[in-house]
């Protein structure tokens, strides 16, 4: 029998407990947050609105977190459906808390511990027998809003309890569940910390620097920008050391046990109280002169040095993460030798943990992707470099290959994973052969659909996929910049092709969405800069006009189009999503019109969309024209970006009918559902020819305000130039004024005119050039 979780209690208002409570509140569920006294609880609640990155989608979500103390409020535990304990990692403290709360909870309570390493059986000893069947371990990774991983250790819990908590964490909290065994540090930390300890050893042997290691273990190989040492600074060096020592103390049969107990620079830094971000210094130190890095020899902090490796350069030229990993692994320079050694030792260690920590490779790969932010898991990375080729080299180097990996190769299997005819398999160690991967009913895997014959058309940067039930999907997959998926002719052309199929009646709805890292970060700046440098103004204008026409086609399509934005949805990315009939958004949505940072204004209809959002959002209460322009100027002119989908609504980028999905794996499924719901009796929106904007008077007031900002040093002279062009559009240009009604095409025309004019500004071109070279905006 399934249990509906309508109220939750979190025991422990420390950093982790408070953030867990905050993320439950993000899901719209009230939480009782407990600690020893009101001061601790108040501090925990207060931190929810102060911590960076923000634990809450919306600061108001803190209102759903109610402070409680063990002394005064234990009887209120009878109100909740799930109690999650997140007190200190000390068995005695946990037992004391459980003995206090056990007599106050409901008989059908769901009870879990957020322990990161203590055995579930030991924790449960303090519980009465009737509650042990209601108790599991749910290890959320920190910070719980941003890291998807929840490791569940079932212990002796009833199957109903296990499944209820797994369903709630995936459906309501947006998490990915990994089934872990009751072993020290479970899955992700057992593998991840081993990798870190190997890197410490290699640093000493090869004489590498902090910045060199982070350069080679970050985004180049599909891992977080924080890479190795910056990640440790964020997590806390003491935490990393404790996890390593926990493995050493509790895993006597681990073949790499001694690597967890080596005296390294990590021990020295922890002993000196240099614990990373929380103490102000670790492997990096932020100063007035910039961020300095640790010198391993002197333990002093010095300016970071430029890192140059041939292997890195060759890897960067590859268009896929698999290609980058393969290129770096087989590079002959110092970078390649370091990466090969670090990676292959991790491969072997991880393979040896089956079946100790998990029975299958999928659980382990999922843990590393969801908990450590890897784009590819351990075994997916091994596939990337070629299993047989790499094993042969490892043997030549004297490395001992796990027996089951050799058995796999001897059976004729060349990879851990396969994808064919709509089915993805993985090599099952217990079954000594391939096993089909299963997906939840709310998960649509676009890659599998394509391999199963649902690919309608593939182009360089986008594809059309048949989702079934008469729904077409536009998938982005830029060849050169897949992380950000900039808009190019291929992407735009594919959307137009999809709209052609809708108009021809071959499909009844379309979804614009994909399963990459970010939805779309805007236009192809390199293409714009090239046009500017060649003074190809007609070409630029033609390109912008085509994009405006495309966004209008999306808006007025006779069949509904639903956009499914997630992650970075910036500039042109917003302009593609905004005209759709509806948006089904990931809760983690960083949406905004950010063109002013490049010395431009939105050019593909972004100003029109934002204005219409303001007007339509007012309903029957008309907004004065000046307020429309003012709101738009404040948001677009300052390049405001949402910090979540909830914030996107507040800023005005999203409309009231737009939905939010907590679990990104469900995004395409829900977008398809929403599209089918719209099909019945769908009518495109009416063309607007009744838009009233402030005109010259409003523009004058804006110009005065902008001049004041410039005098105060808040904006530069070029910022002012750009903002005036933006104000011209937002106030209706020469035809604006309270008595004049404007139509959509007129606003698109003046937007395009202003965009082209700014392209001709040298300072705009300097901004674009600087961003393309440095990846950072230029204030000029």
């Amino acid at each position: 029998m399934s249990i509906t979780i309508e109220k939750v209690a979190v025991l422990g208002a420390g950093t982790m407990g408070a953030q867990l409570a905050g993320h439950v509140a993000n899901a719209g569920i009230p939480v009782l947050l407990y600690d020893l006294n009101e001061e601790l609880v108040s501090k925990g609640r207060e931190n929810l609105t102060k911590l960076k990155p923000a634990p809450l989608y919306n600061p108001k979500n803190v209102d759903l977190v109610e402070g409680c103390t063990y002394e005064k409020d234990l009887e209120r535990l009878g109100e909740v459906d799930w109690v999650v304990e997140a007190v200190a990692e000390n068995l005695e403290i946990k037992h004391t808390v459980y003995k206090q709360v056990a007599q106050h909870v409901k008989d059908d309570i769901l009870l879990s511990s957020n322990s990161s390493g203590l055995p579930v059986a030991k924790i449960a000893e303090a519980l009465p027998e009737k509650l042990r069947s209601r108790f599991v371990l749910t290890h959320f990774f920190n910070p719980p809003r941003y890291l998807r991983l929840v490791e569940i250790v079932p212990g002796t819990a009833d199957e109903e309890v296990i499944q209820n908590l797994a369903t709630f964490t995936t459906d309501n909290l947006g998490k990915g569940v990994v089934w872990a065994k009751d072993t020290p540090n479970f899955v992700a930390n057992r593998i991840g910390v081993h990798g870190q300890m190997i890197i410490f050893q290699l640093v000493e042997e090869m004489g590498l620097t902090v910045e060199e290691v982070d350069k080679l273990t970050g985004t180049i190989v599909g891992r977080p920008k924080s890479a190795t040492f910056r990640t440790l600074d964020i997590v806390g060096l003491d935490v990393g050391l404790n996890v390593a020592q926990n493995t050493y103390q509790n895993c006597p049969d681990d073949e790499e046990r001694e690597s967890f107990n080596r005296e390294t620079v990590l021990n020295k830094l922890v002993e000196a109280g240099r614990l990373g971000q929380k103490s102000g210094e670790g492997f990096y130190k932020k100063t007035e002169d910039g961020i300095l890095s640790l010198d391993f020899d002197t333990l002093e902090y010095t300016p970071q040095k430029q890192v140059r490796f041939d292997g890195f350069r060759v890897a960067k030229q590859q268009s896929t993460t698999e290609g980058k990993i393969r290129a770096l692994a087989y590079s002959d320079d110092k970078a390649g030798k370091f990466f090969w050694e670090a990676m292959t030792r991790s491969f072997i260690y991880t393979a040896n943990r089956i079946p100790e920590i998990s029975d299958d490779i999928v659980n382990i790969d999922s843990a590393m992707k969801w908990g450590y932010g890897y784009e590819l898991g351990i075994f997916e990375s091994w596939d990337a470099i070629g299993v047989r080729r790499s094993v042969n080299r490892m043997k030549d180097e004297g490395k001992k290959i796990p027996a089951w990996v050799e058995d796999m190769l001897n059976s004729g299997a060349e990879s851990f994973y396969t994808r064919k005819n709509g089915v993805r398999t993985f090599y099952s160690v217990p079954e000594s052969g391939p096993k089909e991967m299963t997906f939840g009913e709310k998960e649509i895997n676009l890659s599998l659909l394509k391999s199963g014959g649902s690919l309608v058309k593939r182009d360089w940067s986008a594809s059309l996929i048949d989702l079934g039930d008469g729904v077409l999907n536009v998938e982005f997959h830029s060849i050169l910049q897949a992380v950000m998926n900039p808009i190019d002719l291929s992407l735009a052309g594919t959307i137009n092709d999809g709209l052609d199929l809708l108009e021809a009646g071959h499909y009844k709805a379309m979804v614009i969405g994909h399963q990459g890292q970010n939805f779309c970060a805007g236009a192809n700046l390199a293409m714009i800069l090239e046009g500017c440098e060649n003074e190809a103004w007609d070409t630029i204008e033609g390109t912008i006009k085509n994009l405006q026409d495309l966004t209008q086609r999306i808006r007025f399509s006779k069949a509904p189009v639903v956009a499914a934005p997630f992650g970075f949805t910036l500039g042109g990315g917003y302009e593609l999503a905004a005209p759709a009939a509806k948006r089904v958004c990931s809760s983690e949505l960083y949406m905004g019109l950010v063109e002013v940072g490049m010395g431009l204004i939105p050019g593909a209809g972004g100003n029109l969309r934002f204005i219409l959002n303001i007007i339509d959002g007012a309903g029957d209460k008309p907004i004065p024209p000046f307020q429309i322009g003012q709101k738009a100027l404040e948001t677009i002119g300052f390049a405001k970006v949402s910090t979540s989908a909830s914030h996107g609504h507040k800023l005005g980028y999203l409309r009231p009918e737009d939905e939010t999905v907590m679990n990104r794996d469900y995004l395409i499924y829900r977008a398809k559902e929403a599209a089918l719901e719209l099909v019945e009796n769908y009518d495109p929106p009416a063309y607007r020819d009744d838009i009233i904007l402030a005109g010259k008077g409003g523009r004058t007031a804006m110009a005065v305000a902008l001049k004041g900002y410039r005098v105060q040093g808040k904006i530069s002279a070029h910022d002012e130039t750009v903002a005036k062009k933006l104000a011209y559009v937002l106030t209706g240009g020469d035809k604006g004024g309270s008595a004049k009604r404007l139509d959509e095409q007129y606003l698109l025309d003046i937007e395009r005119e202003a965009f082209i004019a700014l392209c001709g500004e040298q300072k705009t071109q300097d901004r674009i050039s600087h961003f393309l070279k440095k990846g950072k905006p230029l204030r000029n």
Side-chain angles (χ1 to χ4, degrees):
M1 180 181 72
S2 64
I3 297 174
T4 301
I5 297 178
E6 297 180 339
K7 199 170 194 175
V8 174
V10 176
L11 311 179
T15 300
M16 188 61 184
Q19 289 192 79
L20 267 174
H23 194 59
V24 173
N26 284 336
I29 297 168
V31 191
L32 304 181
L33 179 61
Y34 282 81
D35 216 311
L36 293 171
N37 55 58
E38 292 178 359
E39 183 180 353
L40 289 173
V41 175
S42 295
K43 184 178 179 181
R45 290 184 75 252
E46 186 179 319
N47 282 341
L48 288 176
T49 59
K50 289 184 175 180
L51 285 174
K52 299 294 181 184
L56 301 176
Y57 294 153
N58 185 329
K60 290 184 179 179
N61 289 350
V62 75
D63 295 338
L64 287 171
V65 180
E66 185 178 353
C68 296
T69 65
Y70 300 121
E71 182 180 355
K72 296 180 181 178
D73 304 296
L74 280 176
E75 70 283 354
R76 295 198 60 191
L77 289 170
E79 302 172 12
V80 307
D81 306 300
W82 175 31
V83 174
V84 56
E85 168 267 307
V87 301
E89 284 290 87
N90 179 295
L91 204 55
E92 185 177 342
I93 294 174
K94 289 183 186 292
H95 283 180
T96 300
V97 170
Y98 285 141
K99 288 172 183 176
Q100 283 183 285
V101 305
Q103 58 188 306
H104 297 283
V105 298
K106 299 187 292 189
D107 289 341
D108 62 349
I109 192 67
L110 301 177
L111 180 61
S112 74
S113 171
N114 189 57
S115 174
S116 60
L118 293 175
V120 63
K122 287 283 187 184
I123 300 172
E125 287 176 355
L127 292 169
E129 195 66 38
K130 68 175 183 177
L131 286 183
R132 294 185 188 182
S133 63
R134 314 295 303 171
F135 176 73
V136 303
L137 191 145
T138 50
H139 178 213
F140 287 77
F141 265 55
N142 188 25
R145 170 183 166 181
Y146 297 97
L147 291 180
R148 288 190 62 197
L149 179 60
V150 176
E151 294 174 317
I152 294 184
V153 184
T156 58
D158 293 342
E159 186 64 24
E160 167 208 357
V161 173
I162 298 166
Q163 291 305 321
N164 270 308
L165 280 174
T167 300
F168 179 77
T169 54
T170 53
D171 290 6
N172 296 79
L173 302 183
K175 299 301 173 187
V177 167
V178 161
W179 302 102
K181 297 186 178 184
D182 201 3
T183 57
N185 300 324
F186 312 126
V187 178
N189 280 338
R190 182 74 175 275
I191 303 303
V193 172
H194 169 264
Q196 291 169 353
M197 300 311 290
I198 293 304
I199 286 173
F200 281 119
Q201 181 180 338
L202 292 173
V203 162
E204 293 178 11
E205 293 175 358
M206 300 181 69
L208 291 158
T209 66
V210 166
E211 50 265 50
E212 284 175 337
V213 170
D214 277 359
K215 187 85 167 179
L216 298 173
T217 58
T219 55
I220 187 68
V221 290
R223 296 183 183 179
K225 187 177 181 180
S226 53
T228 299
F229 294 124
R230 176 63 183 140
T231 295
L232 275 167
D233 274 358
I234 294 169
V235 171
L237 274 62
D238 53 334
V239 174
L241 184 60
N242 287 340
V243 174
Q245 291 175 341
N246 188 44
T247 303
Y248 177 77
Q249 292 164 3
N250 295 293
C251 298
D253 298 325
D254 190 312
E255 76 280 6
E256 290 265 346
R257 183 178 183 231
E258 290 304 320
S259 69
F260 292 96
N261 197 43
R262 284 175 56 89
E263 281 287 329
T264 69
V265 67
L266 181 63
N267 303 74
K268 296 175 183 177
L269 291 173
V270 172
E271 288 169 10
R274 292 151 75 170
L275 306 180
Q277 190 169 274
K278 59 187 171 186
S279 69
E281 55 185 21
F283 292 101
Y284 293 95
K285 181 177 182 178
K286 191 173 184 179
T287 71
E288 292 181 356
D289 297 324
I291 298 176
L292 309 179
S293 63
L294 184 75
D295 183 303
F296 286 124
D297 294 325
T298 66
L299 296 187
E300 299 294 328
Y301 294 96
T302 59
Q304 294 183 55
K305 299 177 181 64
Q306 189 74 27
V307 177
R308 288 187 175 88
F309 285 121
D310 285 341
F312 183 91
R313 178 180 53 78
V314 172
K316 195 173 182 181
Q317 293 170 354
Q318 301 297 310
S319 61
T320 64
T321 299
E322 291 88 346
K324 289 177 169 66
I325 289 174
R326 186 163 53 249
L328 190 54
Y330 292 114
S331 172
D332 290 331
D333 70 342
K334 188 177 182 180
K337 291 173 183 175
F338 160 77
F339 185 66
W340 167 266
E341 194 64 26
M343 183 175 59
T344 55
R345 286 185 63 176
S346 182
F347 287 170
I348 293 170
Y349 182 79
T350 304
N352 279 331
R353 303 281 70 75
I354 297 175
E356 180 191 351
I357 64 174
S358 176
D359 289 327
D360 66 71
I361 66 174
V362 178
N363 250 333
I364 292 175
D365 277 357
S366 295
M368 300 314 294
K369 289 189 286 187
W370 294 337
Y372 275 71
Y374 290 10
E375 184 181 338
L376 299 178
I378 300 294
F379 295 98
E380 290 171 328
S381 298
W382 203 339
D383 275 348
I385 67 169
V387 183
R388 191 175 298 276
R389 178 187 179 187
S390 62
V391 164
N392 288 339
R393 177 174 165 182
M394 286 185 236
K395 285 181 177 179
D396 291 341
E397 295 171 346
K399 293 182 172 68
K400 186 177 179 181
I401 308 302
W404 72 261
V405 176
E406 296 229 54
D407 291 343
M408 183 189 83
L409 290 172
N410 291 336
S411 74
E414 294 293 325
S415 61
F416 297 104
Y417 293 94
T418 65
R419 183 186 291 115
K420 188 176 180 181
N421 298 327
V423 174
R424 193 180 190 204
T425 66
F426 67 95
Y427 186 83
S428 171
V429 180
E431 298 173 41
S432 300
K435 184 176 181 179
E436 183 177 342
M437 289 180 64
T438 57
F439 298 89
E441 64 173 320
K442 296 180 182 178
E443 294 179 60
I444 293 177
N445 187 295
L446 296 179
S447 293
L448 288 186
L449 279 181
K450 288 190 290 185
S451 73
S454 295
L455 180 64
V456 176
K457 178 194 173 181
R458 179 181 176 87
D459 209 274
W460 284 102
S461 298
S463 291
L464 296 176
I465 304 169
D466 190 332
L467 295 180
D469 302 313
V471 181
L472 187 64
N473 175 256
V474 182
E475 178 197 34
F476 303 168
H477 49 69
S478 173
I479 296 294
L480 297 178
Q481 299 183 55
V483 173
M484 293 301 184
N485 294 297
I487 301 169
D488 58 16
L489 295 176
S490 169
L491 192 153
T494 304
I495 298 175
N496 268 315
D497 290 341
L499 293 169
D500 288 342
L501 291 173
L502 291 186
E503 288 184 7
H506 296 301
Y507 292 89
K508 54 189 178 185
M510 187 166 80
V511 170
I512 301 177
H514 61 93
Q515 291 166 331
Q517 292 185 50
N518 294 287
F519 182 74
C520 175
N524 189 321
L525 290 174
M527 183 178 68
I528 292 174
L529 181 60
E530 182 181 1
C532 294
E533 291 174 343
N534 293 329
E535 299 186 358
W537 311 122
D538 290 345
T539 300
I540 295 176
E541 181 171 15
T543 300
I544 298 302
K545 177 68 164 61
N546 288 337
L547 287 175
Q548 289 182 336
D549 291 345
L550 172 60
T551 59
Q552 289 293 81
R553 269 196 92 186
I554 294 171
R555 172 167 161 78
F556 296 113
S557 169
K558 72 176 186 180
V561 177
V562 173
F566 60 91
F568 288 122
T569 303
L570 305 174
Y574 169 78
E575 290 171 314
L576 289 178
K582 185 173 186 174
R583 281 138 299 282
V584 176
C585 311
S586 166
S587 54
E588 294 297 340
L589 180 68
Y590 313 114
M591 176 177 273
L593 290 165
V594 296
E595 287 85 350
V596 295
M598 298 299 105
L600 297 167
I601 68 167
N607 302 292
L608 171 63
R609 307 301 161 212
F610 198 83
I611 287 169
L612 291 179
N613 280 4
I614 296 172
I615 294 171
D616 294 343
D620 297 329
K621 297 180 180 179
I623 296 181
F626 180 74
Q627 288 186 21
I628 295 172
Q630 185 180 43
K631 165 69 173 173
L633 185 66
E634 288 173 354
T635 304
I636 304 171
F638 285 95
K640 292 183 179 179
V641 176
S642 71
T643 55
S644 64
S646 174
H647 190 214
H649 278 282
K650 183 179 179 181
L651 288 177
Y653 289 122
L654 297 177
R655 298 167 69 93
E657 66 268 20
D658 294 339
E659 296 182 27
T660 299
V661 173
M662 291 285 280
N663 193 321
R664 241 195 73 185
D665 289 344
Y666 300 169
L667 196 59
I668 300 295
Y669 174 87
R670 177 55 203 149
K672 177 187 173 183
E673 276 192 327
L676 288 171
E677 290 165 5
L678 288 170
V679 166
E680 191 173 352
N681 303 318
Y682 180 72
D683 287 316
Y687 181 79
R688 298 296 294 267
D689 57 5
D690 59 348
I691 303 167
I692 301 175
L693 298 175
K696 187 175 181 180
R699 197 153 58 246
T700 300
M702 292 178 184
V704 171
L706 290 170
K707 184 177 181 180
Y709 287 140
R710 181 174 58 78
V711 170
Q712 295 168 34
K714 294 181 178 179
I715 63 175
S716 69
H718 192 54
D719 289 332
E720 184 181 16
T721 298
V722 175
K724 284 182 175 180
K725 288 288 186 184
L726 178 62
Y728 179 81
V729 176
L730 299 178
T731 56
D734 294 335
K735 293 184 179 180
S738 59
K740 299 173 183 177
R741 296 174 182 271
L742 310 175
D743 68 6
E744 296 185 30
Q745 189 57 53
Y746 170 73
L747 290 180
L748 292 172
D749 289 342
I750 62 172
E751 171 189 88
R752 189 173 68 255
E753 175 188 315
F755 184 94
I756 302 300
L758 287 169
C759 282
E761 294 276 349
Q762 184 59 50
K763 287 188 176 181
T764 289
Q765 295 173 28
D766 292 342
R767 287 190 179 190
I768 298 173
S769 178
H770 183 272
F771 184 80
L772 291 172
K773 290 175 183 176
K774 303 289 187 181
K776 299 177 181 178
L778 172 68
R779 281 296 302 276
N780 59 352

